[in-house]
Amino acid sequence: MIIVTMRLIRRVQPLGCVLALRFLVLVLWDVPASWALDNGLAMTPTMGWLHWERFMCNIDCKEEPDSCISENLFMQMADLMDAEGWKEVGYEYLCIDDCWMAPERDSKGRLQADSTRFPSGIHYLANYVHSKGLKLGIYADVGKKTCAGYPGSIGHYDIDAETFADWGVDLLKFDGCYCDSVEQLADGYKHMSLALNKTGRSIVYSCEWPLYMWPFHKPNYTEIRQYCNHWRNTGDVYDSWQSVKSILNWASFNQKTIVNVAGPGGWNDPDMLVIGNFGLSWDQQITQMALWAIMAAPLFMSNDLRHISPQAKALLQNKDVITINQDPLGKQGYLLRKEDNIEVWERPLSDLAWAVAIVNLQEIGGPHSFTINIASLGQGVACNPACHITELLPVKTKLGFYEWTSYLKTRINPTGTVLLRLESQTM
């Protein structure tokens, strides 16, 4: 719930000055990010489903046939993404993570799927996924082995890229385990990027390059963006509030480094959405959805679509929130300020609109009231001279018309978020 208190404007800025200021801010925000990977893909953050957090490396199909990593699991998810409205709202990529491979390459040195769990092969699975109007993602590793110990791609970058293209793969998640040096890591990521482009097939390239670089030195994000469509900075997300909170803390602490490099064709990836699982309260699920939208993050769900609650499904399919995430201006949001346990995040959107998320990090007690001067939002111009404000989460509510000197009093549940959309209006 949001309560507004207002005071009359005693001095209205000349309209020409207001428009000039808004135009200047728009121009500054519209400065393109550094040169991106030239494959024409991921012009907005990629959306889809990824198996890892929910299903991990479960290869025991005898004891757990419904949750092991197999073609049956991915075909069932493809059916649901097609039939249950996921594809229509933008969740397009169905992605295989680690543990799909056979323990050894074939006689020609090509990767191959485990013949027991994927008896029809990846090409067949890709065709099945494509028949549902979806795209298939797959996993490999830049080093000697994948993180789970399956064959790595070092020394085989070109043949692996050709194999994925021949199979009809549309996205590659490329992990960074088992490299001998940061130089080998960087060279491998670059080599695979060039190899994928050389195939002539449109394959989104999802890297973990900076994640493995940070322990040694600050990554060169300008360079990374030239080779990757999105890149992981932090370790795997877990189905817990502590994990989600730590990712948000990292993103805000490092925002001066990572925010400006993001944009059409290249995005910071804070990892999977764990909404619809077991570890997050309802308010925490709202927070993850809202902040991933603010951060212009790729939206990869990792959950069981066969058993998701209607409430979690509605949140993940919320078109208003997805519209913010997919905004074509392509600017990543940032932490504006923090006061005690309240954080205010904002993101510039196209058509002079802004998204604002107000987060209550307090984990004890009840809902917390917080009052904010909306003149401080959106670089001071989001509501100058006025704007329409809509609350999108937790409940969509049209809050109405607000002048520049208005104040909003929010009431936010512990670990919850209020997500707002501000749309500029001239007087």
Side-chain angles (χ1 to χ4, degrees):
M1 177 185 296
I2 294 186
I3 303 168
V4 62
T5 60
M6 306 183 70
R7 56 187 173 89
L8 295 176
I9 299 177
R10 296 183 179 179
R11 183 174 59 190
V12 179
Q13 293 174 293
L15 181 58
C17 293
V18 172
L19 294 178
L21 179 59
R22 288 166 57 192
F23 177 75
L24 176 60
V25 171
L26 178 62
V27 168
L28 292 175
W29 274 111
D30 204 30
V31 173
S34 54
W35 183 80
L37 172 60
D38 186 22
N39 63 5
L41 302 174
M43 300 310 289
T44 59
T46 313
M47 296 176 60
W49 184 93
L50 180 65
H51 92 245
W52 184 256
E53 195 287 323
R54 181 60 186 262
F55 295 97
M56 301 183 68
C57 191
N58 184 352
I59 59 174
D60 190 350
C61 292
K62 181 177 180 180
E63 292 296 323
E64 300 184 69
D66 293 331
S67 57
C68 69
I69 308 309
S70 68
E71 66 181 34
N72 289 335
L73 175 68
F74 293 97
M75 291 169 70
Q76 289 177 30
M77 294 303 163
D79 292 342
L80 289 166
M81 289 175 72
D82 177 36
E84 298 284 330
W86 299 102
K87 177 177 65 176
E88 284 70 24
V89 297
Y91 293 98
E92 183 180 18
Y93 288 84
L94 176 65
C95 300
I96 308 168
D97 209 288
D98 205 347
C99 305
W100 63 270
M101 300 178 192
E104 304 290 340
R105 292 175 177 268
D106 69 14
S107 59
K108 297 180 179 180
R110 294 163 67 101
L111 293 172
Q112 54 186 341
D114 183 278
S115 60
T116 301
R117 294 180 286 115
F118 293 85
S120 306
I122 301 300
H123 183 57
Y124 173 87
L125 180 58
N127 286 340
Y128 186 87
V129 169
H130 294 158
S131 75
K132 301 294 180 178
L134 301 166
K135 296 180 179 180
L136 182 70
I138 206 163
Y139 169 100
D141 192 283
V142 69
K144 299 173 184 176
K145 296 185 289 184
T146 74
C147 297
Y150 292 88
S153 289
I154 191 169
H156 299 84
Y157 298 126
D158 293 292
I159 192 172
D160 286 356
E162 292 166 4
T163 299
F164 298 144
D166 290 345
W167 285 344
V169 166
D170 306 290
L171 179 150
L172 173 63
K173 176 182 175 180
F174 210 39
D175 214 336
C177 285
Y178 296 104
C179 275
D180 292 333
S181 67
V182 292
E183 292 77 20
Q184 185 183 80
L185 179 87
D187 289 345
Y189 274 107
K190 294 175 188 177
H191 193 148
M192 180 57 85
S193 179
L194 298 173
L196 290 173
N197 268 6
K198 192 167 63 176
T199 68
R201 182 170 180 81
S202 295
I203 300 177
V204 173
Y205 188 36
S206 177
C207 302
E208 306 210 354
W209 184 352
L211 166 62
Y212 291 91
M213 196 69 74
W214 270 110
F216 301 98
H217 60 76
K218 181 179 177 180
N220 182 344
Y221 281 96
T222 301
E223 181 179 53
I224 290 168
R225 180 178 166 83
Q226 293 172 0
Y227 291 95
C228 304
N229 290 120
H230 30 89
W231 47 86
R232 285 270 304 282
N233 297 305
T234 53
D236 290 354
V237 68
Y238 283 63
D239 187 15
S240 76
W241 173 239
Q242 182 60 39
S243 177
V244 171
K245 187 170 62 172
S246 69
I247 291 170
L248 293 174
N249 288 341
W250 188 95
S252 61
F253 183 80
N254 292 281
Q255 63 185 16
K256 290 183 179 179
T257 299
I258 67 170
V259 165
N260 288 335
V261 75
W267 311 96
N268 292 294
D269 181 2
D271 209 11
M272 297 161 279
L273 294 167
V274 293
I275 296 165
N277 290 324
F278 308 99
L280 300 185
S281 71
W282 176 240
D283 287 295
Q284 292 159 4
Q285 292 178 71
I286 289 173
T287 295
Q288 190 186 27
M289 189 69 184
L291 270 296
W292 263 234
I294 290 285
M295 293 189 294
L299 300 182
F300 285 103
M301 308 176 288
S302 190
N303 48 27
D304 191 340
L305 299 179
R306 299 166 297 188
H307 305 293
I308 193 168
S309 72
Q311 188 181 39
K313 179 180 177 182
L315 177 60
L316 286 162
Q317 293 189 0
N318 188 306
K319 293 180 181 179
D320 293 312
V321 182
I322 290 172
T323 296
I324 290 174
N325 175 264
Q326 296 288 295
D327 186 83
L329 184 62
K331 295 297 180 182
Q332 180 171 332
Y334 50 85
L335 176 65
L336 176 65
R337 65 174 173 271
K338 183 174 182 178
E339 299 178 18
D340 297 324
N341 286 309
I342 299 294
E343 290 186 344
V344 180
W345 295 66
E346 64 180 16
R347 177 184 175 185
L349 306 174
S350 54
D351 299 323
L352 300 176
W354 289 76
V356 175
I358 306 173
V359 187
N360 179 8
L361 295 175
Q362 186 166 297
E363 300 181 23
I364 190 171
H368 184 84
S369 295
F370 180 75
T371 300
I372 188 166
N373 181 352
I374 63 171
S376 66
L377 300 174
Q379 305 290 302
V381 299
C383 292
N384 188 355
C387 65
H388 279 285
I389 301 180
T390 303
E391 177 188 325
L392 303 180
L393 293 174
V395 178
K396 186 173 183 179
T397 308
K398 292 183 178 180
L399 302 177
F401 181 83
Y402 295 88
E403 296 176 332
W404 190 46
T405 50
S406 301
Y407 287 79
L408 291 179
K409 184 177 181 181
T410 63
R411 190 167 175 83
I412 317 157
N413 291 341
T415 68
T417 295
V418 169
L419 180 64
L420 306 171
R421 183 182 179 94
L422 284 57
E423 296 181 301
S424 181
Q425 300 290 315
T426 57
M427 297 289 284

